[in-house]
Amino acid sequence: MADKSSSFRPYPARAYGQRRHSERNRHVSASSTKFVTCGNISRWVVLRCKRTLLYRAVFLVCVLPMIAIIAVLRPTVYTTQVEQEKISFNSQVKESTSNSSSRSFQSGADLHLNKSSVNVIQQTKVSPSFNSVFSKKYAIHYPENNTEFFIFLRNIMNRSWEYNQNHTEEFRKDLQAALGNKGKLDKFILTKQNTKVGQRVSFLSNGGSMKISKPFWQSLASDTLYRPGLFKRCSVVGSSGILNGSGCGGTIDKGDFIFRFNLADVQNYTEDVGRKTNFTTLNPSFIYEKLNSLTKRADQAKFTGILKQFEGSHLWLPLFAFRWKYRILVKAANFAQTSKHVQPIYGHPEHYSTVASLWQETLNGTYRTSTGLHVISSIIDLCDRIDIYGFWPFPTFLDGNAVAYHYHNKVNGTAGAHSFVKEFKALVLLHERGIIRLHLGSCSHKNPSWEKRP
């Protein structure tokens, strides 16, 4: 007879089995936490690798083909949605401008697209902008080859020039329409009228902006310095070596207002470039290269001496052209203000960018319009007539003689920043239409020098 004590169980059989299973799990868990063996690690690594390979296989077989199908079909769906939105928008614009207010707008989902409707949409687009109209109307069509262009230019300059009032008024209207409010003459420079304390002014390059402080605002011109029709005749004088020996000084000084650029020397070249100056500019490169960044007192004294020959004129500075050049231009402006020889004025960055964008589109040139073309474009309303001197972008003249880059120094010209040749051809076009007068060669002789060449 079996011993009853050996068959006695304190728990039922099922509960006893569960209890032993839980105790075994606790034992294994406790042992696994206490001891990490190489076998355990290898088994775990193998398991993870198998799972990773399985996941990748599922992705390649199932998910990737679905993505490819969506990528192929999605552009068609997107294009249809965009075209439907265009139809809806055009229909809304058409209904909003009609007199019947009872018509309701149709949603893009309720419209059907076909070839005829697409053609109608393309034909009923918004009329071209004033910029594109101006760009097409005043685009240059002269030969790109210099030799061929010189032949055209010689024929143009041999004709007697006459002021064309109708063409001039038409150009003024076209220019005003293309530039808009930001390109108006009263935005040419920063003034207390178009700038407020606390306003943020953005730099043209390198990003960023500056908040207008009250001391800076107080240094601005109180009123608009330039108004339409203020001067009857203006002379715009470039710095090309074409002025050397021209004898144009007396003719230049006949202008009511004289524009010059980058503090080009006057006192040693009066016979060729004149004596008067009412407006000149200052580029940061001049401060770096010629004035040693105004670091020493000798540099500051030299700057003051240069300004004396421009007594009473406006000194235009591109203060907000480059963020990293702002401080050096402010420094130069402070010295100029202290000298009391000139009045510093600051170009309006929005005005400059508007004019630059227009000419960049018209000439298909570089993004940075030269200061010369910017000033000429800005004073079309200021002056009834404009005479241009010292603008010549080529190393040789029409007669074949070499031409220096500047009349007042021996600096070699640099290309890349501006499209001087294209800008010059734009001036030739305006000269040909009687809007401005471009002076080339000698002013002291009846016949220009290129006529002597056979």
Side-chain angles (χ1 to χ4, degrees):
M1 183 175 177
D3 188 4
K4 295 183 178 180
S5 62
S6 61
S7 61
F8 176 76
R9 297 288 187 271
Y11 300 103
R14 184 177 180 182
Y16 183 79
Q18 293 177 351
R19 181 170 177 268
R20 290 189 63 185
H21 180 71
S22 62
E23 289 177 354
R24 183 170 61 253
N25 289 343
R26 286 199 302 270
H27 175 72
V28 173
S29 175
S31 62
S32 62
T33 56
K34 291 181 180 179
F35 303 101
V36 179
T37 63
C38 295
N40 292 339
I41 294 176
S42 62
R43 285 194 296 272
W44 180 83
V45 171
V46 171
L47 180 62
R48 295 294 295 179
C49 292
K50 289 182 178 179
R51 289 180 180 177
T52 302
L53 293 175
L54 179 63
Y55 294 155
R56 290 183 178 179
V58 173
F59 177 79
L60 293 174
V61 174
C62 301
V63 180
L64 193 60
M66 294 177 63
I67 295 176
I69 294 172
I70 294 174
V72 172
L73 297 179
R74 184 60 182 169
T76 305
V77 177
Y78 177 76
T79 304
T80 304
Q81 292 178 351
V82 171
E83 291 174 346
Q84 289 177 347
E85 290 177 0
K86 288 183 179 179
I87 297 174
S88 177
F89 176 77
N90 288 335
S91 63
Q92 292 177 9
V93 173
K94 184 176 180 180
E95 291 182 9
S96 63
T97 55
S98 64
N99 295 328
S100 58
S101 58
S102 59
R103 298 176 61 187
S104 60
F105 297 147
Q106 285 184 313
S107 64
D110 297 333
L111 296 176
H112 300 282
L113 190 64
N114 52 43
K115 291 184 179 180
S116 60
S117 63
V118 173
N119 293 333
V120 171
I121 294 171
Q122 293 176 350
Q123 294 174 3
T124 57
K125 286 183 179 180
V126 180
S127 59
S129 64
F130 290 114
N131 287 37
S132 60
V133 172
F134 180 92
S135 300
K136 293 179 181 179
K137 193 172 184 179
Y138 297 98
I140 54 178
H141 301 288
Y142 298 117
E144 294 185 3
N145 180 271
N146 290 347
T147 303
E148 296 177 1
F149 172 67
F150 279 10
I151 296 175
F152 275 83
L153 181 59
R154 186 180 291 108
N155 293 332
I156 293 172
M157 301 306 297
N158 282 339
R159 305 171 196 162
S160 59
W161 184 88
E162 293 183 2
Y163 172 73
N164 192 313
Q165 185 173 357
N166 293 334
H167 287 173
T168 303
E169 293 298 330
E170 182 181 5
F171 179 74
R172 285 172 179 161
K173 292 179 182 179
D174 294 338
L175 186 63
Q176 290 173 1
L179 294 178
N181 292 330
K182 293 182 179 180
K184 287 185 176 181
L185 183 58
D186 58 1
K187 300 290 197 307
F188 178 45
I189 62 171
L190 292 171
T191 65
K192 293 179 180 177
Q193 302 297 324
N194 58 32
T195 311
K196 298 180 180 180
V197 177
Q199 174 183 344
R200 299 203 71 88
V201 178
S202 299
F203 292 93
L204 292 176
S205 302
N206 309 116
S209 61
M210 192 201 74
K211 187 176 182 181
I212 301 298
S213 62
K214 190 171 183 179
F216 178 83
W217 181 82
Q218 291 175 344
S219 68
L220 301 178
S222 301
D223 197 2
T224 303
L225 297 180
Y226 308 108
R227 301 184 300 274
L230 186 61
F231 303 108
K232 187 175 181 179
R233 194 164 189 167
C234 296
S235 297
V236 181
V237 187
S239 303
S240 170
I242 195 176
L243 287 172
N244 287 326
S246 65
C248 291
T251 309
I252 291 173
D253 286 341
K254 290 181 180 179
D256 301 317
F257 202 85
I258 315 298
F259 293 87
R260 302 183 189 273
F261 301 96
N262 209 23
L263 296 179
D265 192 9
V266 173
Q267 60 185 1
N268 297 321
Y269 305 89
T270 55
E271 183 178 351
D272 295 328
V273 303
R275 300 176 182 272
K276 293 170 53 178
T277 301
N278 303 106
F279 177 102
T280 187
T281 66
L282 176 60
N283 293 337
S285 58
F286 186 94
I287 307 174
Y288 292 127
E289 298 171 4
K290 301 294 181 64
L291 301 174
N292 191 31
S293 301
L294 297 173
T295 305
K296 302 179 180 179
R297 291 187 178 181
D299 304 322
Q300 301 166 11
K302 181 180 179 180
F303 184 43
T304 303
I306 294 174
L307 294 177
K308 286 182 179 180
Q309 59 183 314
F310 305 104
E311 189 74 34
S313 64
H314 296 155
L315 180 64
W316 183 92
L317 300 97
L319 201 60
F320 293 93
F322 302 94
R323 184 176 184 179
W324 62 282
K325 296 180 180 180
Y326 172 80
R327 293 185 180 275
I328 190 63
L329 286 172
V330 169
K331 187 177 183 180
N334 292 334
F335 277 110
Q337 185 71 38
T338 304
S339 70
K340 298 182 180 180
H341 294 301
V342 296
Q343 178 185 354
I345 57 176
Y346 312 115
H348 200 302
E350 290 185 354
H351 183 277
Y352 178 87
S353 62
T354 303
V355 175
S357 298
L358 177 62
W359 283 114
Q360 196 278 337
E361 181 179 350
T362 304
L363 304 178
N364 192 25
T366 53
Y367 72 97
R368 194 182 304 169
T369 302
S370 68
T371 308
L373 185 59
H374 174 71
V375 170
I376 294 173
S377 305
S378 303
I379 66 173
I380 289 294
D381 291 334
L382 177 68
C383 313
D384 294 340
R385 296 192 183 187
I386 300 176
D387 292 274
I388 310 295
Y389 305 85
F391 279 70
W392 185 259
F394 305 102
T396 58
F397 193 48
L398 294 175
D399 58 4
N401 293 326
V403 178
Y405 186 68
H406 287 157
Y407 69 83
H408 55 87
N409 58 36
K410 297 181 180 180
V411 173
N412 294 324
T414 57
H418 307 292
S419 298
F420 288 122
V421 173
K422 291 183 178 180
E423 292 184 3
F424 177 78
K425 291 180 179 179
L427 299 180
V428 173
L429 178 64
L430 298 182
H431 170 92
E432 191 176 7
R433 296 186 181 184
I435 300 172
I436 63 173
R437 186 172 185 180
L438 188 62
H439 295 264
L440 301 178
S442 176
C443 295
S444 59
H445 303 289
K446 182 178 180 181
N447 297 324
S449 58
W450 64 81
E451 289 189 356
K452 300 178 183 178
R453 185 176 180 179

